[in-house]
Amino acid sequence: MPPAKKRKTRTTAAVEKQAAAEAAEEAPHAPGSVNDPRSAPMTQEPAVDLPDIAASDAAARARERQERFRALQARSKTSAQKNLKEAQLESQRLATDPNLLTSLNRKQAIASQKLLKADTEAAGDDFERKRAWDWTVEESERWDKRLRKKEAHRDDQAFQDYRQDSRKVYKRQIRNLQPDMEGYEKEKMKAVERAAASGGLEIVETEDGELVAVDKDGTFYSTADSTGFVENKPDKAAVDRLVKDLEKAEESRLKKQRERNGRTEDGDVTYINDKNKQFNQKLARFYNKYTSEIRDSFERGTMI
């Protein structure tokens, strides 16, 4: 016969309940349990979305490239318009005869002057006096001097004698001469230093502080009997310039000789008399610009 179960009393049940509560307090907290402090809710930081940032950077770069492309398009359009305008102006300049344009400007100036003169005389004023109001005394004197010089030059063009012709050539060469003043000053200072070192030249300072060179024995400054200029040796540029002038003078002399002999063309003779020569010159003046390429092809032998 099985033993009979003991009957729990109210006192025994209270003791067991108190012991279970003490055991639960002393036991360690299991992870994930309700009593685990790590399972308490925490404040989470917002996560960063990397694909959105990459997409925004790509869009910014695309906008920047598009703006640069539009700027390049605008610059290209502006350059094309400017080039077209310059080409049109160049075409107009090439199509306009400069001699004709100069003649028209001269005629316009003469017409305006005549109109002004007529209006001035109709008003009862002196035209020359009114014109003089636009110029100063110095400008008027320079203009009168220029007119006198131009008139004298016009009268001096005709051949008078060989001496006068030589004088004109000399004046033209002097007018075109460009002296080297810097080199001249350097050579002069070297000569002064050599003369002062040798004792033939003495540098004296005046009361005003100006330096004056005194020639003691009379050998520094050139006279009619001086021969020191023969020791001067010109540089290569001066020699080349002299040779060029001589060649130019010889070419001019030969050209005048050909003109006197009636041979003014250096190329082939394409005429049989003076009348035929004038006719050929007239044809060349009007049609050379169209037939030059054909004639060159014939000369080269490449014409089909």
Side-chain angles (χ1 to χ4, degrees), residues 159-273:
F159 177 79
Q160 300 176 5
D161 53 12
Y162 289 105
R163 178 177 295 180
Q164 190 74 5
D165 195 27
S166 300
R167 185 185 67 85
K168 289 193 297 185
V169 173
Y170 173 75
K171 288 182 66 175
R172 183 175 65 249
Q173 291 176 350
I174 293 298
R175 188 168 55 250
N176 297 332
L177 181 63
Q178 297 178 355
D180 186 8
M181 299 304 298
E182 184 178 356
Y184 168 73
E185 293 293 337
K186 291 181 180 179
E187 292 294 332
K188 185 174 72 173
M189 292 305 299
K190 289 180 181 178
V192 170
E193 292 175 358
R194 287 196 300 267
S198 62
L201 192 67
E202 183 180 0
I203 307 298
V204 179
E205 184 177 359
T206 61
E207 296 179 355
D208 300 335
E210 184 180 1
L211 298 177
V212 178
V214 179
D215 192 3
K216 291 183 177 180
D217 52 1
T219 58
F220 179 73
Y221 294 103
S222 300
T223 60
D225 300 330
S226 300
T227 58
F229 62 89
V230 298
E231 299 177 0
N232 183 31
K233 185 178 180 181
D235 55 354
K236 187 177 183 300
V239 175
D240 294 341
R241 187 167 59 250
L242 176 61
V243 172
K244 186 177 180 180
D245 291 341
L246 292 176
E247 291 177 351
K248 187 176 180 180
E250 183 68 16
E251 183 179 354
S252 177
R253 186 184 67 83
L254 294 176
K255 182 179 179 181
K256 291 181 179 179
Q257 184 178 3
R258 287 195 299 269
E259 290 178 356
R260 287 194 299 269
N261 295 335
R263 297 174 55 190
T264 57
E265 296 183 0
D266 297 332
D268 299 333
V269 177
T270 59
Y271 53 89
I272 57 176
N273 50 31

Side-chain angles (χ1 to χ4, degrees), residues 1-7:
M1 180 175 183
K5 294 183 180 179
K6 289 183 178 183
R7 189 177 178 181

Side-chain angles (χ1 to χ4, degrees), residues 131 138-148:
R131 279 189 63 193
E138 292 80 5
E139 292 174 344
S140 180
E141 290 178 352
R142 284 199 300 268
W143 179 254
D144 294 339
K145 182 179 178 181
R146 181 180 177 183
L147 289 180
R148 288 194 301 268

